[in-house]
Structures are given as C-alpha cells and as structure tokens.
Amino acid sequence: MLKRMILTSCLVTLWALCLFSQTLPRLELSANDHSVANHIDIEMPAKSLRQLQDLREKKDLSRKARMQINGEQISPESIRIRGQSSLEFHRKSLNIKLEKKAKFRKGEEKYAMKEFYLIGMTMDKYYYRSYLSYSCLQSIGLFPMFFAYTEVFINGENQGVYMVVEKPHECMKKQDSPCVIRRGYSHKIEEVKFMAKKTDLPERAFTDAYDHLYELPEKFTGKALYDEWNKWLDVDGYMRWLAFNFFIMNGDYADELYLYAEPVRDGVRFGVIPWDYDDILVGNPHRKDLAIFHKGWHNKYMYMAEEQIDQIIASDKWLQARYIDALKAVLNDFSPQKMKEIYQSVYTGLSPFYQSPETIAMSRYDEDGEVKPGDFPEDFSASYEYLMSRRAWLLANMDD
C-alpha cells in the first residue's frame, strides 16, 4: 500500500511539473560578482580547538579566545557548542555571546547583535534548505529574527558554510516580550527564557498558560475551542506555521517551535516562532517509514501526527476547515514569481561560497558527505520546480 502511495505521489508530481513548467518563471542562476556577506575569525588556544572538534560536551571555550567580525575586533563573553546533533560532527554549531554588539550584513541590510547562533548546517545538504525556509517564513510574518550566511575561520582554518541566526529570546526581548518558551516532544517545556523586567507577572504565570493550551480541548471543541485557544495563542499564526510545514514537507517540527509571550498589558498570549528547517523536502517525516506518519494523515493536509494540538486541529471538523483556509492562503502567498524572487535572493547569498574549494571541501564532515559544486544549481532549481508543481497540484486538488 505504501509503495503504491509513493508511486502515486511521484506520478502526480510529474504530471503537475509537466503541466506547469511551461509557465513557471525560470530561475536565473548565472555566476554573480557578489562576495561573501560576513566574515568571522576566531582565535583560540590549541587545547580549546581540540575540545571544540572532538569533545561531546558544551563547556565554555571562550577563555583566551579572540574574535574578529567583519573586520572589527570583539571579545567573546562565551563560546559554547550548540545543539545535541552538533556534538556528533566535526563542524560544530556554536552559541556565541559577545561583550558588545557586532554588525552583520545581508544585502543592503545591516544588523547589530550581541548574542547569536552560528549554525554549521551539517545536516542541510547544499546549505540552502534552512535559509530558504526562513526567507519564506519571514515573507509571511512568521520569522522575525535576523539571519545571514557567513564564513567562519578558526585559527586561520576555513570552517565551511555557516549561517548566523539571532537568538529567538534576544529578538523577542527587543519587542518587549517577557517570556519565550521552547516546546519539546510530547509538548513538554524544553526551555524557558524569562525577562522579569518586562512584566509584573511571575514566570509561573507563563508556564501555567502554556499548560493551559493543552487543557482547553478537554472542555471545548470546534469554534468554541478556537475562541478559547485564541485568547492564549495566536491560533491563525500557528495554523499558518502548520500549513507551511506541509507545503515545504518539513520532516521534523513538533519540537522545533518557540512560543513567545506577546507584550499584552493583562494576562498571557503566545505568538509562534518556527525553528530548525534542515529537514525539508523529505519523503517521510524524520526520514522514517512509520505508519503513524501516513495513516489518514495526508488527507488532513498535515505532514506529521506527533503533536497533540495538531491532532486536535486535524480531527475537529470546524478547526480542520479553518486550517484548510490557512493552507490555501499560505499557498497563494507563495506564487511562482514570489518564490522565484526568494530563491534568487538565497542563491545570491550562497553562490559565492561555491567559488571557494576550501569552503566546499569542509562539507566532507557533514551528514551527507562532500558536495559537488556543479550539483548545487541542479538540486536548487529542481527543488524550486518541485515546490511550485506541488503548490499548483495542492490548490487544484483542494478546490476539487
């Protein structure tokens, strides 16, 4: 049965691609003269470098370390390995805190940050999936953080392609949010960043409000549940996030969500911040062939069946209808012309890295092994064409 489903999906995709490729705006992926937007140099003692590359722990490695960011010398307050998966790789993602703000660039934009992540994208083949997803999400108002490509050198050695990303709680701090919660698996609270200076409420008020989201379905259904949820959560924003995950075939997102407390005067209400999009365009969630990800779930136009709130939205007739409206709106937001603009902006930022053999050689340490520069434009263009054919088929299928 599953093999027939996969074959049918492939045939539908081929049909849609043939049908819409003639009118699809073509990507213009010619070589450009743009240079790498950001450059980070880190100098650290040899012992610290060995710890960074070989150890499986997140200790602070900033002692006697120095940093230069886009030509400006800035002392690091802390340098730590970031993320559990990063521990398994030679090229680590890093959690950076500086003694003062550093200036970063993306196109014509300039942005100053004191705390940020350096993401090695070791599970992001060709290094465009996360950046593309964040660009799309930002275009529909769901990703407020600054992000940009950067090259990183440690003790003079090229570390490969990195992305610098503003920390969610730092971004929300600037927008006067008093609390940011990261959701984990089985909706447990993975992390809390509480800013007491921005609220008269205690931290417990925000964690209790989070738990309340999962208590409401025991008392309400349909529109009544939506109305109650919406007092505590931006439900439409949450649905747009689910819709985007379905469209882009995000294979890992139940635990990749931050909820930030909106700066409201009375009470608590959460907005959503998506996170971690290195696993998009995958045939199966988590790249595993498990029945829970397939049985009846694709008919609900959602990509996974792990999270309780998502299951309730999918199983409730009124909520499902509202979600379908959100999905249609998201698909309409990503017209072929709009996606062409997003794709070409991603290519402008990423393509200069492929001009450096030393940079691309570092991909040998990544999950999928060393990439071939000549294969990048082909894979990049194919993903654009596939997403646009998927969009066209979905819109036609839902209308039908």
Side-chain angles (χ1 to χ4, degrees):
M1 177 63 180
L2 180 58
K3 290 183 178 178
R4 288 202 301 272
M5 288 172 59
I6 294 174
L7 177 60
T8 301
S9 177
C10 291
L11 290 173
V12 166
T13 300
L14 287 172
W15 166 80
L17 185 56
C18 292
L19 184 62
F20 295 102
S21 61
Q22 294 180 352
T23 58
L24 192 65
R26 305 298 296 178
L27 296 181
E28 299 167 6
L29 303 183
S30 58
N32 60 62
D33 58 358
H34 294 280
S35 59
V36 173
N38 298 287
H39 180 94
I40 297 177
D41 273 304
I42 302 174
E43 296 287 338
M44 61 174 58
K47 180 180 178 181
S48 296
L49 180 58
R50 287 194 300 270
Q51 290 177 324
L52 174 64
Q53 294 175 337
D54 300 329
L55 290 188
R56 302 294 185 259
E57 55 184 288
K58 298 182 180 181
K59 64 185 300 182
D60 186 7
L61 300 173
S62 63
R63 187 171 181 271
K64 295 185 178 180
R66 296 179 297 171
M67 292 185 69
Q68 189 177 84
I69 299 177
N70 291 327
E72 184 180 4
Q73 197 75 36
I74 298 179
S75 298
E77 188 172 314
S78 66
I79 301 175
R80 297 180 183 273
I81 297 172
R82 183 202 172 273
Q84 284 300 120
S85 60
S86 181
L87 295 174
E88 305 302 319
F89 292 96
H90 176 83
R91 295 196 319 113
K92 302 291 194 295
S93 292
L94 300 175
N95 181 341
I96 305 291
K97 184 176 182 179
L98 304 174
E99 290 187 353
K100 66 175 184 177
K101 290 183 178 180
K103 296 178 182 177
F104 294 90
R105 300 183 289 260
K106 184 170 70 171
E108 300 299 318
E109 183 181 4
K110 294 182 180 179
Y111 196 82
M113 294 185 290
K114 185 177 180 181
E115 295 189 44
F116 52 88
Y117 297 126
L118 286 178
I119 308 297
M121 297 182 286
T122 50
M123 301 172 67
D124 190 341
K125 190 172 184 180
Y126 298 113
Y127 309 117
Y128 70 82
R129 287 164 173 79
S130 294
Y131 195 99
L132 169 68
S133 300
Y134 291 164
S135 298
C136 290
L137 287 163
Q138 198 162 81
S139 75
I140 59 173
L142 288 181
F143 197 83
M145 287 86 73
F146 177 85
F147 61 99
Y149 283 118
T150 183
E151 58 184 2
V152 176
F153 285 75
I154 299 181
N155 292 356
E157 182 181 0
N158 193 325
Q159 300 299 303
V161 184
Y162 272 77
M163 181 169 55
V164 55
V165 185
E166 185 177 19
K167 294 180 182 180
H169 70 271
E170 283 297 300
C171 179
M172 289 299 101
K173 186 189 298 183
K174 297 173 186 175
Q175 300 186 33
D176 290 326
S177 172
C179 187
V180 177
I181 294 174
R182 180 167 184 172
R183 184 174 75 181
Y185 283 120
S186 301
H187 61 263
K188 74 172 184 178
I189 294 177
E190 192 74 25
E191 180 185 18
V192 179
K193 293 290 185 180
F194 178 65
M195 284 70 81
K197 294 181 180 179
K198 295 184 178 295
T199 180
D200 294 328
L201 297 174
E203 180 178 331
R204 181 67 179 271
F206 298 92
T207 55
D208 284 350
Y210 174 86
D211 292 335
H212 188 59
L213 296 174
Y214 292 88
E215 298 166 355
L216 287 171
E218 299 174 6
K219 302 177 182 178
F220 302 95
T221 61
K223 186 177 184 303
L225 176 56
Y226 171 88
D227 290 340
E228 289 299 317
W229 255 346
N230 207 44
K231 296 175 183 177
W232 302 85
L233 173 71
D234 176 8
V235 184
D236 291 335
Y238 188 92
M239 287 184 176
R240 290 202 311 276
W241 171 67
L242 285 179
F244 179 75
N245 289 334
F246 178 74
F247 168 53
I248 206 136
M249 301 168 69
N250 182 10
D252 181 16
Y253 61 82
D255 65 326
E256 303 294 357
L257 181 71
Y258 287 90
L259 298 178
Y260 70 94
E262 296 175 346
V264 294
R265 181 175 296 275
D266 299 312
V268 179
R269 187 174 189 266
F270 293 109
V272 300
I273 299 179
W275 192 252
D276 199 0
Y277 276 78
D278 56 12
D279 211 18
I280 68 168
L281 294 167
V282 293
N284 295 305
H286 301 294
R287 306 186 186 188
K288 295 179 181 178
D289 211 2
L290 302 178
I292 189 175
F293 300 137
H294 296 284
K295 191 175 181 180
W297 201 245
H298 285 269
N299 293 333
K300 302 295 186 180
Y301 296 97
M302 291 188 193
Y303 208 59
M304 292 199 300
E306 293 180 305
E307 167 55 40
Q308 183 178 331
I309 288 179
D310 307 358
Q311 294 168 4
I312 292 167
I313 292 173
S315 60
D316 184 289
K317 186 176 180 180
W318 192 93
L319 293 172
Q320 170 70 3
R322 181 126 189 158
Y323 168 71
I324 293 299
D325 288 341
L327 176 57
K328 289 180 180 179
V330 166
L331 293 174
N332 282 319
D333 283 337
F334 294 117
S335 67
Q337 183 59 39
K338 179 63 176 178
M339 284 298 282
K340 175 187 174 182
E341 293 170 3
I342 292 174
Y343 261 82
Q344 293 194 172
S345 70
V346 175
Y347 186 80
T348 296
L350 180 56
S351 60
F353 290 91
Y354 280 91
Q355 309 307 312
S356 168
E358 295 81 9
T359 301
I360 297 305
M362 294 301 291
S363 63
R364 68 186 183 274
Y365 294 114
D366 297 343
E367 183 179 52
D368 294 312
E370 187 165 354
V371 301
K372 297 179 180 179
D375 292 345
F376 159 56
E378 181 180 353
D379 188 273
F380 190 68
S381 298
S383 70
Y384 163 71
E385 293 171 1
Y386 177 81
L387 281 175
M388 290 299 90
S389 66
R390 175 174 170 80
R391 170 189 178 271
W393 183 82
L394 285 171
L395 286 172
N397 188 56
M398 285 190 291
D399 286 342
D400 184 55

